[in-house]
C-alpha cells in the first residue's frame, strides 16, 4: 500500500517525506485554505512547491463544477507538473470530465466517494484513483471500512485498474485496516502516520535495553 500525506502544510509534508516512506500528497480546498493559500497564482505556486518536495503523485483539486470549466481548470493544473493528478468531485459533470481526461492522458482522482456505485462509475470513466472518505462515513455512523472491502471485491472481480485511495483517515487503526482490506493507497494526516510508530511495550523495552547497556 502506498502512503500519501493528506495536507497542504509544507512542514508536515517535509516531515512525512523525511521518514522515507512517502509516495505522494493529497490536498483539497479546505486544506489549502487552512494554510492561507489564496488566489490562482499562489495556489499554483504551492502545488509546484509540493511537486518539487515529493517525487510522487500530487492531487490538485478543481474548484469548478461544470464540464467545460472542469476541463479547462484540470488542463491548467496538469500543466503545472507531470506528477499532478487532477482531483475531480463525484458529480455528473465530474464523471464526464474524468472520461475526457482519461481519453487525453490526464490522470485523475475522483474525490468525495461514499458508495460502491459512485466508485464503479468513476472506475468506468477511467479514474486513476477513487477516494472513499472513510472517516466521514464513520462520522455518520456507518462503517467506512465496509466500503473499502466492497470496492476491493468489485474492482478485483471486474478487473478495474483504478486504484482505491482510502481517504479521510482519522487514526493509525484506519491505516492498518485499509492495508488489511487491500486499499492501494492510504492518504493520511501526519499524526495518523506517526501513530503507527507507537507502542508502550516498545518504549518500555527500549528503556530497559538502554539501562542494561550501561552495564555492558
Ligand atoms: C483527501 O483526498 C480528502 O480530501 C481528505 O482525506 C478528506 O479528509 P477529512 O474528512 O478529514 O476532511
Amino acid at each position: 500500500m502506498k502512503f500519501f500525506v493528506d495536507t497542504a502544510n509544507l512542514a508536515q509534508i517535509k516531515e512525512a517525506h523525511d521518514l522515507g516512506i512517502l509516495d505522494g500528497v493529497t490536498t483539497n480546498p479546505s486544506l489549502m485554505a487552512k494554510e492561507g493559500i489564496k488566489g490562482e497564482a499562489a495556489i499554483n505556486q504551492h502545488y509546484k512547491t509540493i511537486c518539487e518536495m515529493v517525487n510522487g503523485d500530487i492531487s490538485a483539486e478543481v474548484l469548478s463544477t461544470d464540464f467545460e470549466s472542469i476541463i479547462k481548470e484540470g488542463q491548467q493544473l496538469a500543466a503545472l507538473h507531470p506528477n499532478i493528478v487532477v482531483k475531480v468531485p463525484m458529480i455528473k459533470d465530474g464523471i464526464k470530465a474524468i472520461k475526457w481526461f482519461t481519453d487525453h492522458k490526464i490522470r485523475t482522482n475522483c474525490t468525495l466517494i461514499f458508495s460502491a456505485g459512485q466508485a464503479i462509475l468513476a472506475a468506468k470513466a477511467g479514474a486513476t484513483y477513487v477516494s472513499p472518505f472513510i472517516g466521514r462515513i464513520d462520522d455518520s455512523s456507518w462503517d467506512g471500512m465496509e466500503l473499502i472491502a466492497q470496492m476491493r471485491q468489485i474492482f478485483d472481480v471486474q478487473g478495474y485498474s483504478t486504484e482505491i485511495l482510502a481517504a479521510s483517515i482519522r487514526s493509525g487503526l484506519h491505516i492498518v485496516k485499509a492495508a488489511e482490506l487491500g486499499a492501494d493507497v492510504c492518504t493520511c494526516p501526519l499524526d495518523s502516520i506517526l501513530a503507527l510508530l507507537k507502542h508502550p511495550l516498545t518504549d518500555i523495552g527500549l528503556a530497559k535495553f538502554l539501562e542494561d547497556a550501561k552495564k555492558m
Side-chain angles (χ1 to χ4, degrees), residues 6-20:
D6 191 27
T7 183
N9 181 281
L10 299 181
Q12 290 186 14
I13 291 170
K14 182 175 184 317
E15 189 172 342
H17 179 258
D18 288 351
L19 272 175

Side-chain angles (χ1 to χ4, degrees), residues 4-7 25-31 59 61 87 109-112 114 131-137 139 165-170 187-189:
F4 290 179
V5 68
D6 191 27
T7 183
V25 180
T26 53
T27 59
N28 64 38
S30 306
L31 294 170
S59 285
E61 189 159 341
K87 205 171 175 191
N109 173 358
C110 187
T111 189
L112 291 165
F114 292 91
S131 292
F133 275 34
I134 304 312
R136 293 193 198 185
I137 294 174
D139 292 345
L165 195 168
S168 186
I169 294 295
R170 303 269 197 264
T187 189
C188 324

Side-chain angles (χ1 to χ4, degrees), residues 58-103:
I58 312 298
S59 285
E61 189 159 341
V62 297
L63 307 177
S64 309
T65 53
D66 68 277
F67 176 76
E68 300 292 343
S69 308
I70 293 173
I71 297 301
K72 189 175 167 207
E73 204 184 332
Q75 284 177 301
Q76 287 166 354
L77 289 170
L80 292 174
H81 193 280
N83 289 352
I84 289 282
V85 175
V86 180
K87 205 171 175 191
V88 181
M90 164 40 75
I91 54 175
K92 194 172 178 184
D93 279 28
I95 289 298
K96 286 165 64 179
I98 288 170
K99 178 69 173 81
W100 189 94
F101 287 133
T102 304
D103 291 343

